[in-house]
Amino acid sequence: MTALALAVRGLHHPAGARPLVLPALDLAPGARLVVRGPSGSGKTTLLRLIAGELSPAAGELRVGGAPWSALPADARRAGRFGTIGVIPQELTLIDWLDAWDNLCLGWALGARPQSAGMEARAAALVAALGLPPLRGRAPRTLSMGERQRLVVARALLPGPGLVVADEPTSALDPAGADAVDAALRASGATAVVATHDPRLAGDDTLTLPVGP
Amino acid sequence: MIPLRRALDRLRARPGAQAARVLAWGLGLGLPAMVVGAVAAGGDLLRARAAAVPMVLGPPGDHTDLALAALRFDGRIHGSLPAARATLGPRAEALPLRLGHRVGSTPVVGVDPGLLRVRGLRVADGRPFVALGEAVAGARAAARAGLRPGAQVQPAPPLHHDLAGATPLVLSVVGVLAPSGGPEDDALLTDLATTWALDGHLHGHASADGQSGAAAAAELAPGTFLLEEARPEDLSQFHAHGDPAGLPVSLILVHPRDARAHDQLWAELSLDPSVSVVRPAQAIEELLALAADLRDLALLLLLPGTVGAVALLALVERLAAEADRAEDAVFATQGLPAGAVRAIRRAERLLVATAALAVAAALAATGPLLLVPWALHR
Amino acid sequence: MRSPVPAVARLLPLLAACAADPAPAPTPGPPAAADPPQVVALSLPAARLVEAIAPPGVAVTTLAPPGVDPPDHTPSVAEIAALQADADLIVAIGPDYERWVSTAALPRGRTLHLADAVTAPIELPGLRHSHGAGEAHSHAGRDPHVWSSPRAAREMVAALAPALAALPGVDAAAVTANEARFAATAEALAAELQAVAGPLAGRPLASSHPAFGYLARDAGLTITAFGLDPLAAAGAEEAAAVQRWAAAAGPGAVLLWEEEPSAAARAALPAGVSHAYLDPLEGPAPGGATDWAGAFRDNLDRLRALHPPAAGTAVPPG
């Protein structure tokens, strides 16, 4: 039996005006869960818990069938690269790296050795997302749309099995949004996407807050 | 290599901010080092200069002024002694100096030619002065003014005016001295008689038709004028009206022949109310001790400023750290190892520290050189 | 108590200036005592006085070359520079004789002007004359020919002795002994001069060169000084002056030449004047003594030769 890509049980964590409560959630590999809800409903908190950036106050998360939330924070950080791709809402880029090295961030900082396969995948993502040539390009010269597509590519480049995305098309026009949608699907990763964009349809929808 | 390469990328990406950090640390470390180092090194060299002059005789007045005048050829001491006071017999070699004349900011010092032998001064280019109107330039004075043998200079009118009228004499530079570490380096040395001519105590005459030499009258008469340049054929015409033994000298460097002569002369001259006598080494030690006390007091008074400087440094570092916080969130979110990021930050701090230390070291090493033009041209 | 702040404020930039010095100040001091002391006399008269009391081991050299009149001599730049650097003691008669010293840069602490030690120097009115070859000059100022007087010579040697004795490596006791011996000799010569001059009192004497003023004063004689060239006929003005003097002097007038006069020089002067040679002691006399005392004794012999002959003795032609 194939392990669930993501399994959540009895999740409880402070978030905004009311705590985030999620009794159970199962995602099969390759599925896309769209998370909707008003501001302050805990969407970003849920994504950060799934990414392992936060430890839940109560409950358990398992990724790929293995304990995830129970791991120490350092282990979750170390295990995140190549396992969970994170597309945050903040479009922060590293200003002392050019746009290409921002895309290949883990390799640029020595977390992984450079390889021809990585370069080819990066080039394919640049083309798929309609990005301009990135080598030698200063991040501050990119438009907001380009920055957002670069952030998406950065998350997908390591080939993660699970992707958490927080409003990944907020700065994109319809063509850009379609490109992001297509790239997410083409990656084959299980996706948890918090979005108000109706074009990002999922296999399932979770509306927060859960419960009365 | 990746941490070092990325650290350099970080420095290049924020040149202004990084330069501010380097300067803040460099100045914070270097300025105190510059001042303390310059004062310490200056104190040592001042002691060495003072050790080269066993005793100084001068007109009644401040002993510190007299010592500094002898060590710096500072022409601001008041009064003078008659040249005859430079006769101390076989117990000492007495070297009179006449101060107070300048070419631009360079003092023109009338000296006894014996000074060159006593102080071991060597002519590096040209020859020593041998006659009235000739001068040798100290090494730094020559470099500053571009003086070489053959050059001519004209001292400014003297600060003290002679009733007979000062002679605006043109001096010929005949030699340049090798560096000595003494006040000669920054001066033009000439014979005492030349400075007496500059004072107006000595002068030469020529007839209105330009004839000079043996035919010139010894007294001013219609059709004669004062010579402005001491050419070799005119030297015989220069003369003083009055007893040369009474011509003024600013101070006298006294080099006793032995310790016994030193003690005898010190005892005798100390009791003479018509002169001031000082041992420069002793005067400088007293002055340096006082300077050390004032320096400590100044450091204490500067403490609030130091605290402010430290606070500014802390602010600079905090601003740098805050800029890093946003990056840290990205690195954490993307699952990049904290160790890799720490290595890059360490490399960056190392580069900033190295640059700051270089700035501090440069200030400490070159600080005295920056202060020299101001100090020497006062 | 005066505030030390101004002094310290002046000190601080000096400290910074000094800190830029490339090397420490040199160690002062005279040359090594192992080197024999170098004494340079600027003229022969000065050299003779030095040699009269300098003990062995002291190197005495004379700057003015022989045959050159010291008032006309100007040493080269290299010679003056060597004096500055190498001479431990520079001995001159003074700027009235070695005239170049008045504008030359000589180390005052190591330079001795012997004429300064002479009490009651003779002031000269400024007689222009020539010594033959060379420029005519004037001795306006003080009569520099002080060495022609034993009393003045004694005074000068007395001033020279302490300076010589203070030189490193010099046998000071020997200098003192030599000075005492010279003083006794000078005293004796002064007495002998008085004896020799006695018979010449009242005899009209003149000189071709103003070199015998001090000798005349010590001897109680009157010697009228002219400016005559011993190698050439006197000009009309000089000859007329001699004529006037000879006419007023009457018979027995003697003109003392500092150098054997040529026939032309003698012929230009009145016939009734006798000519004799008296050494001005400025240069080596032909065949004469080389030391000061010996040269002075030679002059006493020449003066003695001017004494009136004893009764019955033939008078040699002048």
PDB file of all heavy atoms in Angstrom, chain B residues 70-83:
ATOM      1  N   ALA B  70      65.278  74.869  20.930  1.00  0.00           N
ATOM      2  CA  ALA B  70      66.504  74.189  20.526  1.00  0.00           C
ATOM      3  C   ALA B  70      66.216  72.897  19.786  1.00  0.00           C
ATOM      4  O   ALA B  70      66.967  72.499  18.893  1.00  0.00           O
ATOM      5  CB  ALA B  70      67.355  73.890  21.763  1.00  0.00           C
ATOM      6  N   LEU B  71      65.111  72.226  20.141  1.00  0.00           N
ATOM      7  CA  LEU B  71      64.808  70.933  19.531  1.00  0.00           C
ATOM      8  C   LEU B  71      63.987  71.068  18.262  1.00  0.00           C
ATOM      9  O   LEU B  71      63.849  70.106  17.512  1.00  0.00           O
ATOM     10  CB  LEU B  71      64.047  70.052  20.526  1.00  0.00           C
ATOM     11  CG  LEU B  71      64.782  69.746  21.830  1.00  0.00           C
ATOM     12  CD1 LEU B  71      63.957  68.824  22.707  1.00  0.00           C
ATOM     13  CD2 LEU B  71      66.144  69.139  21.565  1.00  0.00           C
ATOM     14  N   ARG B  72      63.422  72.249  18.065  1.00  0.00           N
ATOM     15  CA  ARG B  72      62.538  72.423  16.929  1.00  0.00           C
ATOM     16  C   ARG B  72      62.922  73.610  16.055  1.00  0.00           C
ATOM     17  O   ARG B  72      62.296  73.862  15.035  1.00  0.00           O
ATOM     18  CB  ARG B  72      61.115  72.607  17.469  1.00  0.00           C
ATOM     19  CG  ARG B  72      60.028  72.386  16.464  1.00  0.00           C
ATOM     20  CD  ARG B  72      58.699  72.783  17.051  1.00  0.00           C
ATOM     21  NE  ARG B  72      57.679  72.793  16.043  1.00  0.00           N
ATOM     22  CZ  ARG B  72      56.546  73.468  16.123  1.00  0.00           C
ATOM     23  NH1 ARG B  72      56.309  74.184  17.177  1.00  0.00           N
ATOM     24  NH2 ARG B  72      55.660  73.417  15.159  1.00  0.00           N
ATOM     25  N   PHE B  73      63.950  74.361  16.502  1.00  0.00           N
ATOM     26  CA  PHE B  73      64.338  75.588  15.802  1.00  0.00           C
ATOM     27  C   PHE B  73      63.138  76.522  15.714  1.00  0.00           C
ATOM     28  O   PHE B  73      62.891  77.152  14.692  1.00  0.00           O
ATOM     29  CB  PHE B  73      64.886  75.289  14.411  1.00  0.00           C
ATOM     30  CG  PHE B  73      66.243  74.647  14.426  1.00  0.00           C
ATOM     31  CD1 PHE B  73      66.760  74.070  13.285  1.00  0.00           C
ATOM     32  CD2 PHE B  73      67.005  74.609  15.586  1.00  0.00           C
ATOM     33  CE1 PHE B  73      68.016  73.467  13.303  1.00  0.00           C
ATOM     34  CE2 PHE B  73      68.249  74.000  15.617  1.00  0.00           C
ATOM     35  CZ  PHE B  73      68.749  73.428  14.455  1.00  0.00           C
ATOM     36  N   ASP B  74      62.387  76.548  16.799  1.00  0.00           N
ATOM     37  CA  ASP B  74      61.223  77.399  16.908  1.00  0.00           C
ATOM     38  C   ASP B  74      61.699  78.797  17.251  1.00  0.00           C
ATOM     39  O   ASP B  74      62.375  79.008  18.259  1.00  0.00           O
ATOM     40  CB  ASP B  74      60.334  76.844  18.032  1.00  0.00           C
ATOM     41  CG  ASP B  74      59.031  77.589  18.133  1.00  0.00           C
ATOM     42  OD1 ASP B  74      58.999  78.791  17.807  1.00  0.00           O
ATOM     43  OD2 ASP B  74      58.056  76.964  18.562  1.00  0.00           O
ATOM     44  N   GLY B  75      61.354  79.768  16.425  1.00  0.00           N
ATOM     45  CA  GLY B  75      61.890  81.102  16.623  1.00  0.00           C
ATOM     46  C   GLY B  75      61.061  81.991  17.513  1.00  0.00           C
ATOM     47  O   GLY B  75      61.180  83.214  17.438  1.00  0.00           O
ATOM     48  N   ARG B  76      60.239  81.364  18.387  1.00  0.00           N
ATOM     49  CA  ARG B  76      59.342  82.219  19.155  1.00  0.00           C
ATOM     50  C   ARG B  76      59.845  82.584  20.552  1.00  0.00           C
ATOM     51  O   ARG B  76      59.114  83.190  21.309  1.00  0.00           O
ATOM     52  CB  ARG B  76      57.972  81.553  19.263  1.00  0.00           C
ATOM     53  CG  ARG B  76      57.252  81.559  17.921  1.00  0.00           C
ATOM     54  CD  ARG B  76      55.875  80.985  18.042  1.00  0.00           C
ATOM     55  NE  ARG B  76      55.924  79.589  18.437  1.00  0.00           N
ATOM     56  CZ  ARG B  76      54.838  78.875  18.743  1.00  0.00           C
ATOM     57  NH1 ARG B  76      53.659  79.438  18.714  1.00  0.00           N
ATOM     58  NH2 ARG B  76      54.928  77.621  19.087  1.00  0.00           N
ATOM     59  N   ILE B  77      61.055  82.206  20.882  1.00  0.00           N
ATOM     60  CA  ILE B  77      61.541  82.664  22.180  1.00  0.00           C
ATOM     61  C   ILE B  77      61.848  84.147  22.069  1.00  0.00           C
ATOM     62  O   ILE B  77      62.201  84.649  20.997  1.00  0.00           O
ATOM     63  CB  ILE B  77      62.798  81.889  22.640  1.00  0.00           C
ATOM     64  CG1 ILE B  77      63.911  81.973  21.584  1.00  0.00           C
ATOM     65  CG2 ILE B  77      62.471  80.450  22.909  1.00  0.00           C
ATOM     66  CD1 ILE B  77      65.217  81.422  22.077  1.00  0.00           C
ATOM     67  N   HIS B  78      61.675  84.837  23.196  1.00  0.00           N
ATOM     68  CA  HIS B  78      61.837  86.282  23.188  1.00  0.00           C
ATOM     69  C   HIS B  78      63.207  86.647  23.706  1.00  0.00           C
ATOM     70  O   HIS B  78      63.743  86.022  24.608  1.00  0.00           O
ATOM     71  CB  HIS B  78      60.750  86.921  24.063  1.00  0.00           C
ATOM     72  CG  HIS B  78      59.362  86.579  23.597  1.00  0.00           C
ATOM     73  ND1 HIS B  78      58.865  87.034  22.405  1.00  0.00           N
ATOM     74  CD2 HIS B  78      58.400  85.806  24.137  1.00  0.00           C
ATOM     75  CE1 HIS B  78      57.639  86.556  22.246  1.00  0.00           C
ATOM     76  NE2 HIS B  78      57.327  85.805  23.281  1.00  0.00           N
ATOM     77  N   GLY B  79      63.762  87.706  23.127  1.00  0.00           N
ATOM     78  CA  GLY B  79      65.050  88.173  23.586  1.00  0.00           C
ATOM     79  C   GLY B  79      66.187  87.449  22.898  1.00  0.00           C
ATOM     80  O   GLY B  79      65.991  86.576  22.049  1.00  0.00           O
ATOM     81  N   SER B  80      67.402  87.820  23.255  1.00  0.00           N
ATOM     82  CA  SER B  80      68.578  87.224  22.648  1.00  0.00           C
ATOM     83  C   SER B  80      69.741  87.386  23.604  1.00  0.00           C
ATOM     84  O   SER B  80      69.650  88.056  24.635  1.00  0.00           O
ATOM     85  CB  SER B  80      68.886  87.910  21.314  1.00  0.00           C
ATOM     86  OG  SER B  80      69.147  89.290  21.529  1.00  0.00           O
ATOM     87  N   LEU B  81      70.831  86.748  23.241  1.00  0.00           N
ATOM     88  CA  LEU B  81      72.081  86.895  23.981  1.00  0.00           C
ATOM     89  C   LEU B  81      73.109  87.504  23.043  1.00  0.00           C
ATOM     90  O   LEU B  81      73.030  87.305  21.831  1.00  0.00           O
ATOM     91  CB  LEU B  81      72.590  85.524  24.452  1.00  0.00           C
ATOM     92  CG  LEU B  81      71.779  84.764  25.489  1.00  0.00           C
ATOM     93  CD1 LEU B  81      72.409  83.394  25.734  1.00  0.00           C
ATOM     94  CD2 LEU B  81      71.696  85.550  26.784  1.00  0.00           C
ATOM     95  N   PRO B  82      74.108  88.216  23.586  1.00  0.00           N
ATOM     96  CA  PRO B  82      75.194  88.670  22.711  1.00  0.00           C
ATOM     97  C   PRO B  82      76.041  87.483  22.279  1.00  0.00           C
ATOM     98  O   PRO B  82      76.204  86.520  23.034  1.00  0.00           O
ATOM     99  CB  PRO B  82      75.985  89.636  23.594  1.00  0.00           C
ATOM    100  CG  PRO B  82      75.651  89.227  24.994  1.00  0.00           C
ATOM    101  CD  PRO B  82      74.267  88.674  24.969  1.00  0.00           C
ATOM    102  N   ALA B  83      76.583  87.561  21.083  1.00  0.00           N
ATOM    103  CA  ALA B  83      77.364  86.449  20.534  1.00  0.00           C
ATOM    104  C   ALA B  83      78.544  86.095  21.432  1.00  0.00           C
ATOM    105  O   ALA B  83      78.988  84.943  21.458  1.00  0.00           O
ATOM    106  CB  ALA B  83      77.850  86.806  19.138  1.00  0.00           C
TER     107      ALA B  83
END
